[in-house]
Amino acid sequence: MVNLDMVGRLTNRALTVGGSGTSGAWAGLLSRHNADSALALQLNPDGFGPSDHAAFYGKDIPVLFFFTGVHGDYHSPADDADLLNYDGLEQVARFAHAVAADIIQGTEKPAFVRVQSQPGAMGGDSRGFAVTLGIVPDYSESSSGMKISGVRANGAAEKAGLKTGERHRGARGEEDPLDLRLYGDSGRAEGWRRGGRRRPAGRKPMSFKATMEKRR
């Protein structure tokens, strides 16, 4: 899965590539298509991160996440079209197209690799969020509670016993599907230490407590 999210502010040729360790094929592929070093690639092996590719990684699918970094205008009315680096955007798009075309035309399916990750491993890619619970919500689910589609290894959720496929109620037991979703991997509430209720498949509801961890 190739994901381009926030690639309009290329600065000093720096392009972060998340998920670079999720397939053994990625290192050579990225190097080959950047042989002229036109882009200063900053490789991050972790397949989890604050964008759409995380759910695919949670399903054991190799991912690549192209990202030109956070900026002071992110999620604000000031983030306007005249601030985009259009030449840089074209450069990133051409690079991503070449990589994706190579994958599509390949004779073998890229093998998946599970990366041993740590909370906050995406560093600057975390978009300024202070803490993380370490889950990937299933955004396709609109019924009561929140279904988990992925759990970050060694993260707060895994330490609390949360598992992929479980459906959770909110921090105070309510059925609001957004309650935990907002605090899943976004970490908008620093020091959030509430618990909740979960219903593992075929089992009675159980309570859990998890302490969100500071991103590093």
Side-chain angles (χ1 to χ4, degrees):
M1 188 273 190
V2 178
N3 178 27
L4 287 79
D5 187 357
M6 289 181 62
V7 293
R9 296 287 194 99
L10 187 68
T11 303
N12 296 326
R13 304 183 298 108
L15 176 66
T16 296
V17 182
S20 62
T22 62
S23 175
W26 287 170
L29 181 67
L30 294 168
S31 177
R32 183 164 64 253
H33 288 289
N34 193 47
D36 59 357
S37 299
L39 292 166
L41 300 183
Q42 301 174 349
L43 305 183
N44 189 300
D46 197 354
F48 279 119
S51 192
D52 300 324
H53 63 285
F56 289 82
Y57 177 68
K59 297 294 184 180
D60 293 349
I61 297 174
V63 298
L64 287 172
F65 170 37
F66 298 110
F67 175 58
T68 55
V70 295
H71 50 79
D73 303 314
Y74 175 65
H75 271 188
S76 79
D79 192 8
D80 216 336
D82 64 327
L83 299 175
L84 292 176
N85 178 351
Y86 288 98
D87 290 338
L89 179 58
E90 179 182 0
Q91 187 177 4
V92 172
R94 289 185 181 278
F95 175 69
H97 177 271
V99 169
D102 200 331
I103 296 171
I104 293 170
Q105 296 167 5
T107 57
E108 296 183 3
K109 181 179 179 181
F112 175 77
V113 175
R114 173 68 61 178
V115 178
Q116 186 70 21
S117 62
Q118 296 293 330
M122 287 299 287
D125 303 7
S126 61
R127 305 184 184 182
F129 298 135
V131 292
T132 178
L133 182 57
I135 61 173
V136 181
D138 186 342
Y139 289 99
S140 66
E141 289 281 326
S142 58
S143 56
S144 64
M146 181 206 66
K147 187 176 180 180
I148 294 177
S149 66
V151 178
R152 180 189 291 274
N154 297 320
E158 183 180 79
K159 293 175 182 177
L162 277 66
K163 301 181 183 300
T164 298
E166 292 181 345
R167 188 180 304 278
H168 291 255
R169 295 185 180 182
R172 291 163 297 280
E174 61 267 27
E175 294 284 354
D176 181 5
L178 293 178
D179 188 275
L180 272 176
R181 183 171 298 173
L182 288 173
Y183 298 103
D185 205 45
S186 66
R188 294 179 184 273
E190 187 165 5
W192 188 79
R193 300 173 184 273
R194 297 302 295 258
R197 294 176 64 79
R198 65 179 185 175
R199 184 186 295 274
R203 298 172 60 184
K204 295 181 179 180
M206 299 171 60
S207 298
F208 74 91
K209 291 184 179 181
T211 300
M212 297 180 77
E213 298 180 342
K214 184 177 181 180
R215 290 186 181 276
R216 294 191 293 270

